[in-house]
Each structure stands twice: as structure tokens, then as C-alpha cells.
Amino acid sequence: MSDRRARERAERHQLIIRTAREIAEREGWDAVTTRTLAQRIGYSQPVLYSHFANKEAIVTAVALQGFEELFEATRAAFSVDSLIRAYTHFALGNPVLYEAMFTLNTELKFGPDAPELLKNTFATLQKVFAPLAGDQDPETFTEVAWSAMHGLVTLTRDSRLRDGLGEERVALLVTLLGSAP
């Protein structure tokens, strides 16, 4: 494949991902279909299928972008307070992207077989939480801390908690995780 054709293919690939994300931002993930994508970008459905096998593969590509953005949003955090605030700010500020990352079906695997980007994102969490683990396994402690942040974000996003107490909840989570044994 020529350099020009490879570049055009890569640009088309990114256009599909960007358009899927834009549609989801405006209309929700149910509106993201290969038919709608093909119409919006001006390519046939077979062209989309030459890039992505199905909607799950498209959501996976969007989710990977989300993990890259989450990594960028949290990598400079060196304290429990700055990490939790960066994480919750990212998640609550990007609800559709966060949904792709953690709620929708994707091809992503977490754990030892995860893509490097997911491992790097987890490592940003672990660098802050591992020193607080005490006698606990640092990885497990980080998973539980991450679960607490994710739970707070999800319950807040879905309006399952009382209004007006977001800052107090974040401060309490910072205190609880920051004062771990």
C-alpha cells in the first residue's frame, strides 16, 4: 500500500472514530449505527466494515481514545486529592466517553492482557495509591480505590445521590483513601 493510500486510510479511520463520538455526544450511543456513520461521513457501509468489524469495534476505538485522555488528565497527579479530582473531573466532564470506556460492550480486556494504554492508565492510579496500601497488596488497594472513584462518578452521573453534595463526597473520598493504613 502506498504512503498516500495508507495516510488516507488512517485519516478515514480517525474520521469514523471522531464522527461516532460526535454522534454519541449529541444523540447518545444508540444513535451510532454503521448506517448513520456511513451517511454522516459520506462513505458506504462496506468502507466502514473495512475499518471496523462492528459497532463494538468502533466503541472500542472511542474507549481507547478515552483512556488516552484519562491518562493525560491524571498522569501529573501526585496526591490522592489531585488524582481523585482529576479523575472525577474527567469522568463527569466526558459522560459519553466514560460510558464507552466502562459501560458499553467493547473488545478491551483489563488485567495482565490489557493493552499498554490501559496498563499505563492504571499505573498512574497505582503510583498514588500504592504507597497508601500499608500491608495490603498495592495492586488490589489501587483496584479498590479505583472502584470507589468509579462508583462515585457513576452514581453521581446517574443522579442516584442527593444533589449538591458532590464536593463533600469528593473531599470525604480523599480523606478516606488518603488516610488508609
Side-chain angles (χ1 to χ4, degrees):
M1 184 183 296
S2 73
D3 287 345
R4 181 183 61 81
R5 286 188 56 164
R7 187 177 57 254
E8 288 171 354
R9 181 169 174 75
E11 288 170 1
R12 192 169 47 244
H13 188 86
Q14 287 304 310
L15 176 63
I16 294 166
I17 296 168
R18 186 174 56 252
T19 304
R21 190 170 169 179
E22 289 168 1
I23 292 169
E25 292 283 345
R26 282 195 308 273
E27 305 169 43
W29 280 107
D30 287 342
V32 178
T33 65
T34 55
R35 178 173 295 187
T36 302
L37 278 169
Q39 290 171 345
R40 298 270 173 98
I41 65 173
Y43 288 102
S44 66
Q45 284 181 288
V47 170
L48 264 76
Y49 286 121
S50 75
H51 288 270
F52 298 99
N54 51 38
K55 180 178 175 177
E56 185 176 297
I58 295 168
V59 174
T60 298
V62 171
L64 282 170
Q65 280 187 344
F67 279 103
E68 186 172 342
E69 292 176 29
L70 178 60
F71 173 75
E72 289 301 319
T74 58
R75 74 184 176 128
F78 289 98
S79 70
V80 172
D81 184 68
S82 64
L83 178 62
I84 291 174
R85 290 180 190 287
Y87 186 95
T88 56
H89 180 76
F90 170 83
L92 295 172
N94 298 284
V96 171
L97 185 58
Y98 195 81
E99 182 180 13
M101 295 164 64
F102 293 109
T103 306
L104 300 177
N105 288 332
T106 68
E107 299 166 348
L108 295 176
K109 304 289 184 235
F110 290 84
D113 298 328
E116 269 321 291
L117 182 55
L118 272 67
K119 290 178 183 178
N120 292 343
T121 304
F122 185 78
T124 65
L125 304 178
Q126 192 170 5
K127 86 175 175 213
V128 171
F129 290 123
L132 305 172
D135 293 337
Q136 305 297 316
D137 174 60
E139 237 178 274
T140 303
F141 186 88
T142 302
E143 290 170 341
V144 171
W146 179 20
S147 299
M149 292 189 302
H150 175 72
L152 181 60
V153 163
T154 301
L155 291 170
T156 300
R157 183 192 67 200
D158 295 343
S159 300
R160 303 289 192 226
L161 301 173
R162 295 173 291 151
D163 286 337
L165 299 171
E167 179 57 34
E168 288 87 341
R169 287 187 191 96
V170 168
L172 181 56
L173 186 58
V174 167
T175 299
L176 292 171
L177 292 173
S179 64

